[in-house]
């Protein structure tokens, strides 16, 4: 097993640049970026740092190998030639899942079957077994077929990285933590500027803002699949966590998380408490259409109902009109709104200074940015 490995960080569409910049900041070398994934080179010992520190990525995958895949025979031989025994033990389980894009082999179940068979053939020949028990540690194999080339990877994260571990329960339409962090980053948070989410739901945006501004690594308080891998030294996980703790700093930054729904406010308070950021986030009940600057500099970052899973489309559209009217009273505040509604600007009553396409899960959205006037 070589020390320098190829890794893949997957992410929501639209966040590739942010993930790449995080990888650069950690000191590793990007090699390729396509929609939803960034490939890079790093030492095996980087695996804990990546999982603990990547704020915008969904998973960290370790590439075992790649091969041409114009047909099933070629795919089988390519996968069988990969050194699976360097990772998967004699008794270990190795389920297979994945995706195929712009490739002749588009049937996911058939690809799963061929890849599973090829990996089993390789492992069986190395371990001298006709039947592999798969009763031991689980290694989730992920494949990605793109333009008839197959990349075979092992998932090192386990639960996706957006599951930070601080959210006790979700409101009806939760915002993924990785996307919330991206919204905050794009809003350029500063110590002397209040960040306010007046439709906070479970409090994710304000929580991610506080974690970012205190330098708290998003994965510091959760576990990862690769912590059980015997070929990753446990000391590297301890070192990565110690390093992350050393980067936490105090700050004068403050965020408000408010909502008209008392149940959402209760959830948000618990979210903030569990994340350990109660010092920086104030949670309270208030109608978003009554917020006021009270002489402070501020930035609004919010994820109002889309009319998809919460409320009706007509109710969402009326809310957008009211938001436009009221937010104009927030003297010189910057406003950032994410929504899937293509007519948002017209309803809001102002053309955005900037709009960026992002995805909330599989829902295509735009992040509308209204700067000071």
């Amino acid at each position: 097993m070589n020390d320098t490995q190829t890794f893949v960080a997957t992410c929501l569409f639209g966040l590739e640049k942010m993930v790449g910049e995080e990888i650069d900041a950690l000191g590793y070398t990007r090699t390729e970026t396509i929609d939803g994934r960034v490939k890079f080179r790093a030492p095996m010992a980087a695996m804990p740092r990546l999982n603990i520190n990547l704020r915008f990525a969904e998973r960290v995958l370790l590439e075992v190998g790649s091969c041409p895949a114009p047909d099933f025979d070629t795919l089988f031989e390519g996968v069988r030639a990969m050194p699976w025994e360097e990772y998967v033990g004699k008794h270990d389980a190795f389920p297979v899942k994945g995706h195929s894009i712009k490739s002749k082999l588009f049937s996911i179940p058939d690809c799963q079957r061929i890849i599973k068979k090829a990996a089993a053939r390789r492992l069986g020949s190395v371990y001298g077994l006709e039947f592999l028990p798969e009763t031991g540690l689980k290694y989730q194999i992920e494949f990605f077929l793109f333009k008839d080339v197959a990349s075979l990877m092992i998932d090192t994260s386990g639960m996706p990285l957006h599951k930070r571990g601080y959210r006790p329960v979700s409101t009806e339409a939760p915002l993924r933590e990785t996307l919330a962090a991206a919204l905050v980053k794009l809003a350029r948070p500063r110590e002397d500027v209040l960040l306010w989410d007046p439709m906070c739901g479970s409090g994710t945006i304000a929580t991610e803002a506080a974690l970012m501004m205190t330098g708290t690594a998003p994965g510091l308080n959760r576990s990862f699949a690769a912590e059980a891998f015997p070929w990753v030294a446990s000391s590297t996980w301890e070192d990565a966590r110690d390093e992350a703790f050393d980067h936490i700093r105090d700050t004068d930054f403050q965020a408000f998380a408010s909502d008209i729904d008392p149940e959402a406010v209760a959830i948000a308070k618990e979210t903030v408490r569990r994340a350990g950021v109660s010092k920086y986030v104030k949670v309270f009940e208030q109608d978003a259409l009554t917020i006021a600057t009270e002489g402070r500099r501020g930035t609004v970052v919010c994820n109002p109902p889309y009319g998809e899973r919460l409320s009706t489309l007509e109710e969402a559209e009326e809310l957008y009109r009211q938001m436009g009217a009221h937010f104009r009273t927030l003297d010189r505040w910057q406003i950032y709104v994410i929504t899937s509604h293509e007519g948002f600007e017209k309803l809001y009553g102002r053309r955005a200074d900037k709009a960026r396409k992002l995805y909330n899960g599989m829902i295509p959205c735009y992040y509308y940015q209204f700067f000071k006037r």
Side-chain angles (χ1 to χ4, degrees), residues 274-325:
R274 288 168 59 106
V277 293
S278 297
K279 178 180 177 180
Y280 310 100
V281 182
K282 181 181 178 182
V283 184
F284 53 94
E285 185 179 335
Q286 186 171 344
D287 186 338
L289 302 177
T290 67
I291 69 173
T293 66
E294 297 183 359
R296 297 188 64 171
R297 296 177 63 200
T299 298
V300 169
V301 181
C302 63
N303 172 41
Y306 301 170
E308 301 239 2
R309 288 177 292 180
L310 284 179
S311 76
T312 65
L313 180 59
E314 291 75 17
E315 289 171 336
E317 290 178 343
E318 179 56 27
L319 173 62
Y320 298 159
R321 292 187 189 97
Q322 293 175 350
M323 285 169 57

Side-chain angles (χ1 to χ4, degrees), residues 166-178:
Y166 61 66
R167 195 155 59 184
V169 292
S170 294
T171 49
E172 286 187 65
L175 186 71
R176 196 174 292 192
E177 292 88 332
T178 42

Side-chain angles (χ1 to χ4, degrees), residues 1-7 41-45 62 83 86-87 231:
M1 189 183 298
N2 295 326
D3 180 58
T4 302
Q5 304 288 325
T6 296
F7 289 92
R41 300 281 290 171
M44 184 67 81
L62 172 66
E86 293 185 5
Y87 307 96
W231 34 270

Side-chain angles (χ1 to χ4, degrees), residues 12-15 18 55-58 162 164 174-186 204-205 208 301 303 306 338 357-361 363 365 367:
L12 294 172
F13 291 162
L15 303 190
M18 289 186 178
R55 201 173 296 277
F56 310 113
E58 292 297 316
H162 74 260
R164 319 290 207 208
L175 186 71
R176 196 174 292 192
E177 292 88 332
T178 42
L179 179 57
L183 302 184
V184 170
K185 180 73 172 178
L186 291 168
T204 310
I205 289 174
E208 287 295 324
V301 181
N303 172 41
Y306 301 170
I338 186 169
K357 191 170 186 179
L358 298 171
Y359 282 76
N360 187 359
I363 303 173
C365 298
Y367 191 35

